[in-house]
Amino acid sequence: MSTTRSLRDVQVWMVGAITGKDADANAKDVEKYVTASARLSAAGRFDVYRSGYHARLYECLLDDYPVLAAILSRLDSGEDDQFAALCRAYVDRHPSASPNLNGFGRHMPAFCREVKLERFPGFDALRVFASELAALEWALVEVLHAETAPPLEIAALQALPPEAWAGARFIKSEGLRVFRFEYPVNAVFIANRIDEIVPEVPAPSPNAIAVYRKDMLLWRMELTPAMLGVLEPLLAGKSLGEALATIEAEVTDPEVLAQTGANLMVWFREWVDAGFFTRIELADAKA
Amino acid sequence: MNRFSLPNLGIGLGLRTVHYAHILEHNPAVEWFEILSENYMQTKGRPLHFLDRVAERYPIAMHGVSLSIGGTDPLDRAYLAELEALRNRTKALWVSDHLCWTGVAGKNTHDLLPMPYTEESLRHTAARIRQVQDVLGAPLALENPSTYVEHVGNTMKEWDFLAALASEADCALLLDVNNVYVSAYNHGFDAADYFAAIPFDRVVQLHVSGHTNHGTHIVDTHIGPVIDPVWELLGEAYRKTNASILLEWDAEIPSFEETHADALRAKDFLVAKAGA
């Protein structure tokens, strides 16, 4: 038995025996690297690190995705529920390469759309819902960590001369995310986090949500199709005039058009009050 | 006083998210806060907002878990730059991390993995500590870890390794008395041997915490109350160092009032010890 392995060799073996799909096979060499204690075998001692690795990253994903965890954990009982299985597959597919765990869970929405959970074939029917719920929960994490910039003041909106509105571009806050979802994931989120129940997986029902931060608190705002019709082009960098022209050209639903005409200023006040924008850029100046 | 002239700040508490609101609303009489450095890195948002307000009111020390000082991947310069920026932002009085490594080949386990205690490890780690201290412009305080395995190739005891490392790198030490107790139990050594080797003039901070005893081994969980033998080790270490003390509580974190009450118990214990 060699006792002169390099530090690098020891570290490569140890990480290989703790992480990844080959960890079990690699750990079979444990006695070549680790001594037994009076109470535990070498493998028993080393298991503290092996089990700790998955437990730590599972805890991280549980922190980021509490509602997804509540729903998937309920679907199968036993020693490994769907959320645990999802996390184990996630950790193998996306091991952390970062000094901290703030961004560790960022792949989960995409991962839910592609992962095959062998023990849980029923996950295939849930993957769009799971992905959208994960996207909502991850948005809350991202918005929490987004750069803090002073929001656009209502006074700046009020000071905008009527002739400047059409050319105005509203610069998006870093702490704003807008989604179109097929499933009512915000209602599921509310049911779990506020009403403290674990709801059934709902039927599809298209909807849109804004996730944002105001006064260091995280909020969600449901958006109607008419609101979305204005907001999405603005967030894509179009001027208000361009956004409204798009609506006139593309929207055929008279109710949406009527809502837009009647409520545009009310929406702007809500959005500015919520801190959706940081400033207004005019065609030849900045406000 | 330690050889680095770093002050005894008294009894501190770990700054935890669940306590932000209480701290900012009530301004509790805490002598200082220790922050987990990585909680305030790779973020531009709410964590820094609250940290700035706490740092305006209380002295701060930074404690990290991802420096990977014993790792064989190159030192992460971006991480070091962010660490230094955070130190400037908080005016932290010192920066600490662990005698460990956290990953290799770009993969981070987010665990404090045990070093082989060999001459190669010693030279390698000392050189990296010096590099980190050059970036920080200040001594790094290195904490003794809780460990659950010993490497086959070890050629020296942890306490001898730590003492030699501190001397070679001219770094400070953060002595975690619970970690000494945990490792002594797990590896069957006497904590007195550990204490006999530690250069206490390099110890700038003490950690004390609870742990979880599984019978066959103890895990450093930072859960629950501190047991009497660990309090005894704290008393002995404090007599030798007069260093700042931090009560760690990282899981199943109780209310602020409870954690603060625990910290005050630590103070009572030290006062009683001093009078004994």
Side-chain angles (χ1 to χ4, degrees):
Chain A
M1 182 182 298
S2 170
T3 58
T4 57
R5 291 183 180 85
S6 72
L7 178 59
R8 180 77 178 181
D9 286 347
V10 169
Q11 294 185 346
V12 167
W13 171 81
M14 202 160 173
V15 167
I18 291 172
T19 70
K21 289 184 173 174
D22 298 328
D24 289 347
N26 293 336
K28 290 190 171 127
D29 285 338
V30 65
E31 289 178 359
K32 294 179 184 171
Y33 292 85
V34 167
T35 62
S37 74
R39 303 183 190 91
L40 273 179
S41 66
R45 301 175 93 187
F46 193 57
D47 272 347
V48 176
Y49 294 103
R50 282 163 53 81
S51 60
Y53 173 69
H54 281 282
R56 188 172 307 105
L57 296 179
Y58 172 85
E59 286 292 323
C60 174
L61 295 173
L62 186 60
D63 273 354
D64 289 343
Y65 299 105
V67 183
L68 182 64
I71 293 197
L72 295 184
S73 299
R74 193 189 60 173
L75 293 174
D76 295 90
S77 57
E79 57 188 54
D80 201 17
D81 61 43
Q82 284 201 33
F83 185 69
L86 180 68
C87 290
R88 183 165 280 272
Y90 184 92
V91 169
D92 285 344
R93 176 70 179 80
H94 296 290
S96 175
S98 170
N100 79 22
L101 289 166
N102 285 349
F104 177 64
R106 67 190 181 281
H107 303 293
M108 187 61 88
F111 188 70
C112 284
R113 287 185 182 268
E114 70 184 34
V115 66
K116 299 284 184 193
L117 299 179
E118 290 176 6
R119 286 191 52 228
F120 300 104
F123 186 79
D124 286 347
L126 302 176
R127 62 178 64 254
V128 174
F129 165 74
S131 174
E132 291 189 345
L133 181 54
L136 177 65
E137 296 200 271
W138 185 250
L140 291 164
V141 176
E142 282 192 325
V143 167
L144 184 144
H145 289 292
E147 185 162 17
T148 303
L152 177 67
E153 299 285 344
I154 289 283
L157 196 69
Q158 292 167 334
L160 202 60
E163 65 275 15
W165 274 85
R169 295 180 196 278
F170 293 80
I171 306 304
K172 171 184 166 296
S173 163
E174 289 293 316
L176 171 67
R177 301 288 183 279
V178 172
F179 297 95
R180 289 174 183 264
F181 289 132
E182 291 180 39
Y183 286 84
V185 290
N186 190 44
V188 169
F189 186 92
I190 291 169
N192 183 253
R193 301 304 283 172
I194 297 173
D195 301 333
E196 298 183 348
I197 61 172
V198 182
E200 300 291 333
V201 176
S205 173
N207 64 97
I209 298 289
V211 178
Y212 62 101
R213 195 178 76 204
K214 182 185 177 188
D215 299 331
M216 292 299 150
L217 297 175
L218 304 179
W219 300 90
R220 287 153 289 111
M221 180 189 292
E222 297 194 355
L223 302 171
T224 65
M227 294 165 87
L228 201 59
V230 178
L231 189 57
E232 274 191 328
L234 290 181
L235 299 181
K238 290 188 175 179
S239 68
L240 180 58
E242 291 167 338
L244 294 176
T246 303
I247 292 170
E248 284 176 14
E250 296 179 2
V251 174
T252 54
D253 185 337
E255 188 180 338
V256 169
L257 290 170
Q259 276 186 25
T260 304
N263 297 312
L264 189 59
M265 291 309 296
V266 175
W267 296 341
F268 263 93
R269 291 188 69 91
E270 278 183 31
W271 297 339
V272 169
D273 186 56
F276 281 15
F277 310 113
T278 56
R279 65 184 195 279
I280 301 170
E281 281 187 4
L282 302 177
D284 54 359
K286 293 180 181 179
Chain B
M1 180 66 79
N2 52 74
R3 68 164 62 196
F4 304 100
S5 300
L6 290 169
N8 178 356
L9 298 174
I11 309 283
L13 282 180
L15 182 62
R16 299 294 176 259
T17 310
V18 292
H19 297 153
Y20 285 159
H22 182 98
I23 293 164
L24 295 181
E25 185 177 347
H26 299 286
N27 287 314
V30 176
E31 291 171 301
W32 61 285
F33 280 102
E34 182 188 81
I35 63 167
L36 188 58
S37 307
E38 288 79 6
N39 284 356
Y40 304 96
M41 298 167 74
Q42 297 188 359
T43 180
K44 297 175 179 175
R46 193 165 75 177
L48 289 176
H49 169 86
F50 285 109
L51 175 62
D52 287 345
R53 275 137 196 86
V54 173
E56 286 168 3
R57 305 176 192 189
Y58 298 94
I60 298 289
M62 285 166 51
H63 185 54
V65 292
S66 284
L67 182 57
S68 198
I69 197 69
T72 51
D73 283 355
L75 277 170
D76 184 339
R77 294 286 169 179
Y79 172 88
L80 280 178
E82 207 176 352
L83 194 70
E84 171 62 354
L86 187 63
R87 188 172 82 100
N88 290 333
R89 184 179 190 126
T90 60
K91 299 179 175 58
L93 289 160
W94 59 83
V95 177
S96 63
D97 205 294
H98 299 80
L99 172 59
C100 72
W101 58 287
T102 59
V104 75
K107 194 183 274 191
N108 195 333
T109 67
H110 297 281
D111 204 346
L112 309 174
L113 300 173
M115 295 296 298
Y117 298 128
T118 64
E119 288 295 334
E120 183 203 4
S121 294
L122 184 60
R123 287 193 305 275
H124 172 79
T125 309
R128 284 163 67 97
I129 293 171
R130 286 193 294 271
Q131 290 179 56
V132 170
Q133 293 182 149
D134 284 347
V135 171
L136 295 177
L140 174 72
L142 210 57
E143 176 178 344
N144 58 303
S146 278
T147 57
Y148 311 105
V149 299
E150 292 171 300
H151 292 278
V152 164
N154 281 359
T155 57
M156 61 183 92
K157 297 294 185 186
E158 180 179 304
W159 50 90
D160 292 329
F161 184 93
L162 191 60
L165 183 67
S167 173
E168 174 74 20
D170 194 20
C171 69
L173 295 175
L174 190 169
L175 183 64
D176 187 317
V177 296
N178 181 61
N179 288 353
V180 173
Y181 183 87
V182 168
S183 292
Y185 185 94
N186 289 342
H187 307 316
F189 64 75
D190 188 338
D193 291 336
Y194 207 110
F195 272 42
I198 291 297
F200 279 96
D201 64 329
R202 291 185 181 276
V203 175
V204 299
Q205 187 186 334
L206 300 168
H207 269 175
V208 62
S209 63
H211 58 240
T212 303
N213 191 329
H214 296 279
T216 52
H217 62 289
I218 298 178
V219 178
D220 177 35
T221 49
H222 298 179
I223 293 175
V226 178
I227 65 170
D228 287 346
V230 175
W231 283 125
E232 292 297 327
L233 289 176
L234 178 68
E236 185 178 346
Y238 188 71
R239 278 195 301 276
K240 292 172 185 284
T241 61
N242 194 37
S244 307
I245 294 174
L246 189 282
L247 178 67
E248 290 185 293
W249 204 310
D250 284 329
E252 300 175 15
I253 300 170
S255 70
F256 183 85
E257 289 90 341
E258 286 179 75
T259 50
H260 194 199
D262 253 17
L264 296 177
R265 271 196 287 280
K267 194 164 197 169
D268 291 344
F269 172 80
L270 295 175
V271 168
K273 277 283 174 190

